[in-house]
Amino acid sequence: MSKEAFYESLTQQALALVSDETNQIANMANISALLFMSLEDINWAGFYILESPQQMVLGPFQGKPACVRIEVGKGVCGTAVAEDTTQLVTDVHQFPGHIACDAASNSEVVVVVKKQGNAIAVLDIDSPTVGRFDEQDKQGLEKLVHSIEQYL
């Protein structure tokens, strides 16, 4: 199966999980679990939710315990919100200001989740492998997030 077909299937599964539920936390929990069990070679998948314009707080996730609070503009997640754009990081150790919540993580992709055009959270996925994520992963995850944003 091509990556494009894989992400299309994953998006359909995600929509099936969340489309009949209105609770944000429940939906984020199910999406985290779906991604964690479906994506190969990852060690963390979850959400950070904007608690204020300056700070995010840990949301539902799968993986090892994580940093609880991240300032907007700090680390990969905070940079995604500050720049309002997906961050695709080949090697997190080369990312200025990287926050090492898990020393085993070596690459990362972070997609901004929006409601009515405003950031409300980020989807954060980490891998122990340098270069695990590519442009197809980025595009596939962006499409998935955009498809389910109204339920988050």
Side-chain angles (χ1 to χ4, degrees):
M1 174 185 299
S2 71
K3 264 194 187 178
E4 187 176 336
F6 170 77
Y7 279 109
E8 181 58 35
S9 173
L10 199 59
T11 297
Q12 294 309 312
Q13 291 175 61
L15 280 166
L17 283 171
V18 302
S19 61
D20 289 331
E21 180 54 57
T22 58
N23 185 281
Q24 176 192 44
I25 298 299
N27 285 339
M28 287 181 171
N30 265 338
I31 296 305
S32 298
L34 175 68
L35 293 171
F36 195 75
M37 70 173 218
S38 300
L39 293 171
E40 293 181 8
D41 194 27
I42 67 166
N43 59 337
W44 203 90
F47 292 88
Y48 279 92
I49 302 167
L50 261 80
E51 188 174 66
S52 74
Q54 297 83 29
Q55 193 171 74
M56 293 179 286
V57 66
L58 181 64
F61 72 94
Q62 298 282 309
K64 290 183 179 180
C67 301
V68 174
R69 296 186 180 276
I70 297 176
E71 289 181 44
V72 171
K74 304 285 185 183
V76 181
C77 291
T79 298
V81 173
E83 296 182 0
D84 193 29
T85 187
T86 298
Q87 300 294 304
L88 177 63
V89 182
T90 302
D91 182 351
V92 296
H93 306 290
Q94 302 302 314
F95 190 89
H98 172 251
I99 301 167
C101 295
D102 181 353
S105 293
N106 287 307
S107 62
E108 187 170 3
V109 60
V110 177
V111 181
V112 180
V113 180
K114 296 181 181 181
K115 266 225 168 113
Q116 299 172 337
N118 298 312
I120 61 161
V122 295
L123 170 63
D124 180 18
I125 304 175
D126 296 354
S127 171
T129 303
V130 172
R132 158 63 180 88
F133 306 106
D134 62 18
E135 189 63 30
Q136 285 183 300
D137 294 301
K138 175 182 176 265
Q139 290 175 7
L141 290 165
E142 286 175 337
K143 286 180 184 176
L144 184 148
V145 166
H146 297 319
S147 295
I148 63 169
E149 280 176 322
Q150 64 187 334
Y151 305 107
L152 300 180

